[in-house]
Amino acid sequence: MSKVIIIGAGGVANVVAKKCAQNDQVFTEVLIATRTVAKADKIVAEIKEHMPHSKAVFTTATVDADNVPELVGLINDFGPKMVINVALPYQDLTIMDACLETGVHYLDTANYEPKDVAKFEYSWQWAYQDRFKDKGLMALLGCGFDPGATQAFTAWHAKHHFQEIHYLDIVDCNNGNHGKAFATNFNPEINIREITANGRYWENGQWVETQPLEISQDIYYPKVATRKSFVLYHEELESLVKHFPTIKRARFWMTFGEAYIKHLNVLEGIGMTSIEPIDFRGMKVAPIEFLKAVLPAPESLAAGYSGQTCIGVQAKGIGKDGQPKVHFVYNVKDHADCYREVQAQGVSYTTGVPAMIGAMLMLQGEWMQPGVWNVEQLDPDPFFDAMNKWGLPISELADIELVKD
């Protein structure tokens, strides 16, 4: 049905590619393009080994995603209908520029942030709205799990359960064990920048800033565990409070173990998490880039990973019947199951599957509309149907408040 380019070849790209291979009635030809083509070749080899009956045709190519002319040449040569961007967030804008120049649709899983400033927000990408709309092209932003599925969960709450959402809590638990002393479950540079930055949450019409990991509480994650969870800033909060103006407070919570925090504090204390370049033997090197090179690659954690993830959204407000209501929508995924299916750990899986689903819904026309969009602006119903079909079953829990005020 459609040709697509996947830009990136890390853990999430591996999942996106393999789910496209499973969904070969929609994704007929797929080009995986990345700076290090050997990583893309490995994904294609695993598809041939583990999914020999897939009719999707996969090829690979080398590309510098920071280089717009190079991206334009790649897109024009292959002729895709859309680009699925699972490269680094620093590269979102160059890839969007290339899509505009070549007339193809765009999807990513994380919003843009500058490489030299630990700040991520949607303003840079929202500014592309008129350019995409005028060309009849669609850009779907942040269609992973969080962001992505969490926004669809919020839209589901609004469509099916609430007249008004007043309090929103997004919770993300990785109750897994990869057997390493310290490692990150997705790109270390992005992950550590996110955690070591000041936290923020929305309350009464303004952002409230906190120290990193300053606010915490024990939260019960259904079917998984009770885990200490910390408030940090996450990009979907920015779009959700914009598109659901009845929200009085919105927070994002994530679990971290004591050992993880201890390692992170030591690394931060000796300057290894800094994004400011230093002189090292005549070269400019950001310490966090060196740290990334030392730490295990997230995709290397998959084999032997045990435990589950649980990600969900709790909403409180006025229900459809006019009465106070609390409702929780969530997914639980087992790391070992992910490895058996697509040779990935659960964090990569829960990000990659929604990206494939978002691309599918765009290509099939159910979500296709010109302009730049966040997931919560689109109909959550087909997304929920696809999540249940493609490996991320959704559960709901009524009238039990898991996250306290």
Side-chain angles (χ1 to χ4, degrees), residues 124-195:
W124 289 287
Q125 291 178 281
W126 282 340
Y128 280 70
Q129 170 69 253
D130 290 342
R131 279 175 279 175
F132 270 82
K133 190 173 183 179
D134 290 346
K135 288 206 167 188
L137 298 174
M138 180 176 182
L140 181 56
L141 308 182
C143 194
F145 207 110
D146 46 343
T150 51
Q151 290 148 286
F153 288 2
T154 305
W156 178 269
H157 279 306
K159 181 174 181 178
H160 295 286
H161 295 290
F162 289 88
Q163 291 182 19
E164 293 186 358
I165 298 173
H166 293 163
Y167 302 99
L168 192 77
D169 286 285
I170 300 169
V171 296
D172 183 331
C173 169
N174 178 19
N175 196 49
N177 180 12
H178 47 55
K180 306 292 184 182
F182 182 80
T184 63
N185 292 290
F186 59 96
N187 185 290
E189 191 175 351
I190 304 303
N191 189 203
I192 292 171
R193 281 164 62 121
E194 182 179 89
I195 297 165

Side-chain angles (χ1 to χ4, degrees), residues 181-184 191-192 195 256-265:
F182 182 80
T184 63
N191 189 203
I192 292 171
I195 297 165
F256 301 102
E258 289 185 10
Y260 184 96
I261 294 173
K262 185 179 293 184
H263 278 84
L264 190 62
N265 286 339

